[in-house]
Amino acid sequence: MRKAQHLIGGRWADSRDKRTFETVNPATGAALAEVARGSAADVDLAVAAAERAFSESRWAKDPELRAACLRRVAEGLLRRQADFVQIEVLDTGLPITQAQGQAARAAANFTFFAEMATQMTGETYPQPGRFLNYTVRKPVGVAGLITPWNTPLMLESWKVAPCLAAGNSCVLKPAEWSPLSAVLLGEAIAEAGVPEGIFNIVQGLGEEAGAPLVAHPRVPLISFTGETTTGQTIIRSGAEHLKRVSMELGGKSPVVVFADADLNRALDAVVFGVYSLNGERCTAGSRLLVEDSIYPAFIERLARRVAAISVGDPTDPGTEVGPLIHKEHLKRVQAYLKQARDEGATVLVGGERPPGLKSGNFLAPALVTDVQPEMRIVQEEVFGPVLVAMPFHGEAEALSLANGVRYGLAGYVWTNELTRAHRFAHALEAGMVWVNSQNVRDLRTPFGGAKDSGIGREGGRYSFDFYTETTTVQVAIGSHAIPKFGVHPD
Ligand code: NAD
């Protein structure tokens, strides 16, 4: 791919002002493509095309059409899975085996929401002999979908599939550090017969292309996934037009390992949960809390595993961790590690450029110990292959440490004591908790975060709560009393 353009009203287009930016391969630093650098003028055109398609095509009114098209999108993604995987690996540095999993998941999202399209039911509230009340769900209109650079295809499918299934049209603004798989997605959506203008893409930087989409008066809903601070900016600028927002934001999720847990399985899950997807995973278990009686032995085993993770060329099926997305991001992660060292923490394993990998944004997976709860590396989302570990004494301390950050996206608990498992899961301040489990998600379940990790839930029918407008219809089926104003006995 040499060029990545906007998709507006079914046509691939350069920016009005012809500006572009370059996207690079994070494993080599080589330029991959010239990407259209969108601005307000391009956003205006895309929103107008989306509005037209929403009101003039059958899309909003025909769930069967939507189901059939979305099924074909899923088939297209699977048919072209190798292309998607190749582009995603080159553009993001995701190890190839993990990119394959993400592409399959993207297809699964479209299959799942294709089925949901025909199940967009309302509710009834009968009031016998007097009224029948029922609700209808309707698409809202043009949705602005803004996505981050980690697992871009999968996260785009996570928004696009339910948004379209509900009958909306949309403008997708992919992240500037990983813009390429969106182009293939646009092709797959067009090939599937989705009416032109229902799905549009405006490429570009957050402030130049994302901000005008958020501020646009005729885009009533914004689904955003990204950093908490960006989410705050978006909420502020959407306030003028009272935008409906869904916010899927950052995380610093705890993994709590009690001494009675199955420690072999817990160890596997801890390592995979933070270092998979290059550590660039919103639900990463990036804070490990281990019961003090087993802490030294567990950390010793963990350190051996982390040191043995294979880091390198993401196109090699043997690679477990690839490069970080961008050299700026690598610098940011390195700065967290430096500050942690300066504050007295120990980088027990990794944290440096792996020997033999002279170019590319590579970092050896890091395990950080001797940390204090208030340190930045414990409190803030690093979004890289960095795990902080600390011991706890007793359930109360574990809970206070686990909840002691501003985020509340996910939590992981490892214990074989049944009552404690549930008690702890309920007490965690998190949108999602996994007990004795790695991050396996059923597409029907709600996804989202508590505290500074987000607003709202998406997934399954919860996505429709966001992507539809509900109208309540109250119908008289008898003769209820109607007060008579203006009627006076003479
Ligand atoms: P980011 O906030 O920098 O950017 C996300 C998107 O917002 C990009 O497309 C960007 O161009 C756009 N953007 C930036 N400024 C904008 C503005 N003023 N107006 C409109 N759009 C703007 O996030 P990122 O660095 O791309 O992604 C990493 C973050 O995403 C991490 O914090 C991670 O936890 C989070 N994330 C959360 C989830 C979740 O479901 N909770 C999932 C994946 C990633």
Side-chain angles (χ1 to χ4, degrees):
M1 189 184 296
R2 287 282 182 73
K3 200 169 166 182
Q5 294 174 293
H6 310 305
L7 175 61
I8 298 178
R11 311 260 174 289
W12 294 98
D14 292 332
S15 291
R16 290 298 296 266
D17 59 13
K18 304 289 177 215
R19 289 200 307 164
T20 60
F21 66 97
E22 211 170 58
T23 185
V24 298
N25 180 337
T28 63
L32 282 175
E34 284 293 318
V35 185
R37 182 165 169 172
S39 63
D42 306 294
V43 169
D44 276 346
L45 289 174
V47 172
E51 265 192 314
R52 225 171 13 253
F54 180 74
S55 55
E56 292 174 10
S57 78
R58 283 165 52 216
W59 191 253
K61 299 170 200 73
D62 190 345
E64 297 294 343
L65 169 71
R66 304 201 294 267
C69 287
L70 295 183
R71 238 177 266 127
R72 287 196 293 270
V73 175
E75 288 159 12
L77 292 187
L78 291 175
R79 208 172 37 247
R80 297 181 61 186
Q81 186 171 355
D83 298 341
F84 276 104
V85 169
Q86 191 198 13
I87 284 290
E88 199 85 318
V89 171
L90 291 177
D91 205 18
T92 67
L94 266 185
I96 186 162
T97 51
Q98 296 167 44
Q100 281 159 349
Q102 296 297 313
R105 186 68 164 184
N109 280 333
F110 277 99
T111 307
F112 177 85
F113 283 106
E115 297 313 310
M116 293 284 292
T118 55
Q119 295 168 27
M120 214 166 74
T121 54
E123 290 160 344
T124 58
Y125 301 89
Q127 299 155 49
R130 300 181 67 231
F131 295 100
L132 172 64
N133 186 299
Y134 63 92
T135 61
V136 279
R137 283 181 183 274
K138 296 175 292 189
V140 184
V142 181
L145 310 179
I146 301 178
T147 47
W149 46 257
N150 63 317
T151 60
L153 173 67
M154 202 288 286
L155 286 175
E156 285 154 12
S157 73
W158 176 242
K159 295 192 187 303
V160 173
C163 171
L164 297 190
N168 302 290
S169 59
C170 69
V171 178
L172 169 69
K173 210 301 278 169
E176 52 268 46
W177 284 354
S178 59
L180 298 187
S181 50
V183 176
L184 294 188
L185 179 62
E187 289 172 5
I189 288 176
E191 284 160 16
V194 174
E196 289 181 351
I198 290 295
F199 175 72
N200 304 274
I201 303 172
V202 175
Q203 300 278 11
L205 315 190
E207 298 73 21
E208 295 175 2
L213 184 59
V214 171
H216 202 290
R218 293 195 306 284
V219 177
L221 59 171
I222 296 288
S223 177
F224 171 76
T225 300
E227 279 188 19
T228 296
T229 47
T230 316
Q232 289 168 321
T233 306
I234 287 178
I235 291 172
R236 269 193 290 271
S237 56
E240 193 188 343
H241 298 289
L242 286 175
K243 301 252 152 155
R244 182 184 301 188
V245 291
S246 170
M247 291 279 144
E248 302 201 335
L249 308 176
K252 187 77 179 180
S253 303
V255 189
V256 183
V257 181
F258 287 95
D260 63 63
D262 180 333
L263 297 180
N264 293 331
R265 288 178 66 75
L267 181 63
D268 289 343
V270 166
V271 176
F272 183 78
V274 66
Y275 300 112
S276 55
L277 309 181
N278 301 341
E280 297 164 337
R281 179 185 198 130
C282 56
T283 49
S286 52
R287 281 186 302 139
L288 174 64
L289 307 173
V290 183
E291 192 155 11
D292 51 5
S293 59
I294 58 160
Y295 182 81
F298 194 84
I299 294 297
E300 201 186 310
R301 290 180 70 195
L302 174 62
R304 280 202 299 273
R305 287 284 290 276
V306 178
I309 290 174
S310 56
V311 186
D313 177 1
T315 64
D316 178 345
T319 292
E320 291 167 323
V321 170
L324 292 177
I325 185 80
H326 197 275
K327 58 180 195 294
E328 292 303 320
H329 186 51
L330 173 63
K331 272 195 216 148
R332 189 170 162 254
V333 175
Q334 286 168 327
Y336 270 113
L337 289 168
K338 177 174 183 317
Q339 184 175 20
R341 279 195 199 92
D342 292 348
E343 287 176 357
T346 304
V347 180
L348 193 62
V349 183
E352 72 292 331
R353 178 175 281 278
L357 293 170
K358 298 275 177 279
S359 62
N361 312 324
F362 291 98
L363 183 78
L367 172 61
V368 183
T369 55
D370 302 319
V371 292
Q372 297 302 320
E374 62 283 357
M375 286 180 180
R376 279 185 68 195
I377 201 150
V378 176
Q379 290 292 324
E380 296 182 18
E381 183 183 45
V382 176
F383 219 56
V386 175
L387 176 63
V388 292
M390 49 205 308
F392 68 82
H393 185 72
E395 195 176 318
E397 191 186 20
L399 188 63
S400 131
L401 288 170
N403 287 341
V405 296
R406 67 194 281 235
Y407 294 110
L409 189 56
Y412 304 85
V413 191
W414 289 86
T415 176
N416 276 328
E417 196 187 304
L418 182 68
T419 49
R420 175 162 64 193
H422 290 286
R423 184 169 60 239
F424 206 86
H426 295 194
L428 271 177
E429 293 166 358
M432 298 164 284
V433 178
W434 279 266
V435 177
N436 295 335
S437 167
Q438 64 132 328
N439 182 324
V440 176
R441 234 197 108 244
D442 184 316
L443 290 176
R444 294 168 301 180
T445 59
F447 183 100
K451 292 160 63 175
D452 286 5
S453 289
I455 300 177
R457 296 290 180 273
E458 294 191 30
R461 68 177 176 79
Y462 292 85
S463 292
F464 285 169
D465 288 343
F466 177 71
Y467 286 111
T468 64
E469 192 70 83
T470 302
T471 299
T472 300
V473 182
Q474 173 93 344
V475 184
I477 56 172
S479 301
H480 62 289
I482 304 178
K484 294 179 193 295
F485 271 33
V487 177
H488 303 288
D490 293 331

